[in-house]
Amino acid sequence: MGTMTGFQLTLNDIPADGLTSRWHVDDDFFDSLDDSLYKKGSVDVEIKARHVAGGADIDIAVGGELIVLCDRCNDEMPAAISSSTTLKVRRGDEAGDDGDIITVTDDDCAVDLAWNIYEVIALAAPNHPVHPEGECNAEMELLLQQHEPAEHTDARWSALEQLKDTIK
């Protein structure tokens, strides 16, 4: 196995047959990142790195549970996540990240994967997380019920409703 310090991967240390590493990230990982939208979770991470011409391809797979906020009651709730992606890391004259390819220089051919791992986790989070029916915060449920719109049908649509019923 090659050298990995934290979430740092040095391209020169990837063996000819590739490299596989596994980690478990939790609340400490999320707290250590600046600008992290998510602060809690328990996620398994697997990295598979392999040499390709001019650099390496790194597969990142994540699976586990992320703590998200319910869009309905704003309480925390667990969300199962699973996702994967492939990073393309290439050697070049200037270090950079254009979104598709991460470029590293020959002098410092190391890549910090922490933010890339976070991005895979964040993209796996549900777009509209809500508790199952009846599991939201009871106080918020009561407030939401008090502010639900009344069942009111605009009289102008009555004729169309009748037409729709006759078509059935």
Side-chain angles (χ1 to χ4, degrees), residues 23-83:
W23 298 287
H24 181 79
V25 298
D26 55 19
D27 301 352
D28 293 335
F29 170 77
F30 295 104
D31 284 339
S32 71
L33 297 172
D34 293 334
D35 300 327
S36 172
L37 178 62
Y38 304 103
K39 296 295 181 189
K40 295 180 182 178
S42 177
V43 181
D44 293 318
V45 179
E46 181 178 83
I47 303 291
K48 291 183 180 181
R50 63 192 174 285
H51 284 287
V52 297
D57 284 349
I58 304 168
D59 298 325
I60 301 174
V62 300
E65 188 174 85
L66 187 63
I67 303 301
V68 297
L69 295 179
C70 173
D71 282 351
R72 187 169 166 79
C73 70
N74 210 34
D75 277 359
E76 291 182 344
M77 62 175 276
I81 62 164
S82 178
S83 187

Side-chain angles (χ1 to χ4, degrees), residues 4-131:
M4 280 199 158
T5 307
F7 298 102
Q8 191 97 8
L9 171 65
T10 303
L11 297 187
N12 294 338
D13 291 343
I14 300 173
D17 61 342
L19 168 77
T20 300
S21 291
R22 291 177 183 84
W23 298 287
H24 181 79
V25 298
D26 55 19
D27 301 352
D28 293 335
F29 170 77
F30 295 104
D31 284 339
S32 71
L33 297 172
D34 293 334
D35 300 327
S36 172
L37 178 62
Y38 304 103
K39 296 295 181 189
K40 295 180 182 178
S42 177
V43 181
D44 293 318
V45 179
E46 181 178 83
I47 303 291
K48 291 183 180 181
R50 63 192 174 285
H51 284 287
V52 297
D57 284 349
I58 304 168
D59 298 325
I60 301 174
V62 300
E65 188 174 85
L66 187 63
I67 303 301
V68 297
L69 295 179
C70 173
D71 282 351
R72 187 169 166 79
C73 70
N74 210 34
D75 277 359
E76 291 182 344
M77 62 175 276
I81 62 164
S82 178
S83 187
S84 62
T85 193
T86 300
L87 298 176
K88 296 179 184 311
V89 181
R90 302 296 182 258
R91 296 174 193 268
D93 295 331
E94 280 186 42
D97 182 353
D98 71 1
D100 293 327
I101 298 176
I102 298 170
T103 305
V104 295
T105 62
D106 284 331
D107 297 335
D108 181 30
C109 55
V111 179
D112 184 1
L113 299 174
W115 190 255
N116 300 99
I117 291 168
Y118 172 76
E119 285 180 337
V120 176
I121 292 170
L123 289 172
N127 290 331
H128 182 58
V130 291
H131 284 106

